[in-house]
Amino acid sequence: MTIKALLRQPYLPGLPLGDYLDQIGKRFPDFGRVLWFDRKGAAEALAGLSATTNEFETNDDDGRGDSYRRAQLNRMIRARGMRTLFTLAAGVPDMESIPPGWTLLDLLGGDGLLARVFASMAPRPHHAVITSDMAGHMVAAALHAGLPAIRQQAQFLFMRDESVDAALLAYGTHHIAPEDRLGVCQEAARVLRPGGRLVLHDFEAGAPAALWFSEVVHRYSRAGHSYHHFTAAEMAGHLKLSGLGSVLVRRVYDPLVIRGGSAAEARNLLADYLFDMYGLTGLAFPQTSLDDLRQTVWKLAQYHFAHSAKYAPDDAGPEWKREPVVYRDGAEWVAEIPRVALVAVGEK
Ligand SMILES: C[S@@+](CC[C@H](N)C(=O)[O-])C[C@H]1O[C@@H](n2cnc3c(N)ncnc32)[C@H](O)[C@@H]1O
């Protein structure tokens, strides 16, 4: 395909590739310089992108996209785990130590939630996080919010070798088919600068958070959720086979936390979040009251996120709550659902 024809290819909703590139060049020139759409195989990857849809591409009629984006409005719910992922990706003890100009490619970035959370935590706000996702509507939403963003499959990146300081695969890695996972890690390793870090995050196969997906999300969401979660050995193996060194796999406390003016308000807000985030429409019958629905969701969370014998007491650090709780913090009430993630880090 000629370059001219490539630039006319549909890329984002209502936006051909050429217009997207113009926009990026003007708004995010540094990012524009690392784009590589004339890479060998790019035309096929672009065609594949338009032909592929996933549940996040769609709206409430047939997928999870709209309800998912609604849940994201409350953006700090998963902030505690995200903070840990940012510092692991930068190899520093805290957010204050992340150097200016450092860049992180968020490969399953959705509509840019992590970029926004990063900006709210970073001491010197700048566009450190590049949002990357295969779903056109997600990427369009991120761009609309003023974030640098790119539509691409994690399997084939339209970006040059050694173009970012860190790459993150998180909050959805189990959506990548097992046979594609090594290739995805190798692609991520390719775009890392020497010394850069790849962070791979999932909820470990067989752990409470993974069982929440298989027992609750799969059963009650319209899109279902039949995915294989990672094991520690799989994570470590993929990072090593991607040429990364100093590979370490650890457990990270990654709770859902929400605040309210009363105990009931905090608990209801978290139940609503779970309902929207996971699209649990199968729990809502026409005769179900909102109150009953919230209680059902909360009870399911209490059952599935209770302490698991899989973990030793100190596995997820001192903050780890052993079951969903609602507690007072000064004038506010906090509802917290404990999740323990499995996180691997490797260095180029
Ligand atoms: C669960 S969402 C997470 C979004 C965001 N990171 C967050 O935490 O809210 C997973 C995202 O990964 C995207 N995704 C899934 N498989 C992908 C792939 N192979 N390449 C690129 N994006 C993918 C989906 O389109 C979706 O937006």
Side-chain angles (χ1 to χ4, degrees), residues 54-300:
N54 67 19
E55 68 200 80
F56 297 95
E57 185 71 79
T58 51
N59 59 30
D60 282 350
D61 292 336
D62 48 6
R64 215 174 120 192
D66 284 347
S67 66
Y68 189 85
R69 281 187 284 272
R70 212 160 45 231
Q72 303 295 48
L73 294 177
N74 206 330
R75 71 175 72 141
M76 298 310 277
I77 290 184
R78 290 182 278 140
R80 205 179 302 178
M82 289 176 187
R83 179 188 291 270
T84 310
L85 296 182
F86 295 143
T87 53
L88 286 173
V92 296
D94 49 47
M95 293 294 293
E96 288 66 36
S97 310
I98 295 182
W102 178 83
T103 49
L104 168 74
L105 180 65
D106 180 9
L107 284 159
L108 307 177
D111 63 355
L113 178 77
L114 274 80
R116 292 171 230 228
V117 172
F118 183 95
S120 72
M121 291 175 176
R124 292 167 294 269
H126 63 288
H127 291 303
V129 179
I130 298 161
T131 298
S132 168
D133 201 282
M134 66 187 277
H137 285 97
M138 291 285 185
V139 173
L143 282 172
H144 187 70
L147 303 167
I150 178 166
R151 184 179 185 201
Q152 56 189 353
Q153 271 201 296
Q155 288 86 332
F156 187 102
L157 303 179
F158 304 115
M159 293 174 66
R160 297 194 183 279
D161 296 1
E162 303 185 1
S163 53
V164 292
D165 297 305
L168 177 65
L169 284 157
Y171 302 110
T173 37
H174 47 267
H175 287 258
I176 301 169
E179 62 274 19
D180 288 342
R181 291 176 181 177
L182 175 58
V184 163
C185 292
Q186 288 173 335
E187 239 334 55
R190 177 183 71 75
V191 299
L192 287 180
R193 296 193 180 107
R197 293 171 145 228
L198 171 59
V199 175
L200 177 56
H201 159 288
D202 195 20
F203 295 104
E204 188 176 5
L211 292 176
W212 164 264
F213 282 106
S214 59
E215 303 298 317
V216 179
V217 183
H218 185 56
R219 205 168 285 181
Y220 299 112
S221 73
R222 209 174 295 138
H225 203 278
S226 155
Y227 300 104
H228 288 287
H229 285 255
F230 276 81
T231 62
E234 186 185 3
M235 282 188 173
H238 286 354
L239 295 202
K240 285 179 189 159
L241 288 172
S242 302
L244 302 178
S246 311
V247 173
L248 204 66
V249 186
R250 73 195 86 202
R251 289 184 171 136
V252 163
Y253 190 48
D254 191 2
L256 302 173
V257 181
I258 204 159
R259 289 169 179 272
S262 67
E265 188 192 12
R267 198 200 59 205
N268 287 341
L269 284 171
L270 198 39
D272 291 350
Y273 174 83
L274 288 173
F275 183 84
D276 271 343
M277 171 84 169
Y278 298 112
L280 303 178
T281 48
L283 290 172
F285 300 101
Q287 65 274 26
T288 315
S289 71
L290 180 59
D291 212 36
D292 285 348
L293 183 59
R294 286 169 163 166
Q295 285 207 26
T296 305
V297 173
W298 184 256
K299 276 190 192 139
L300 283 169

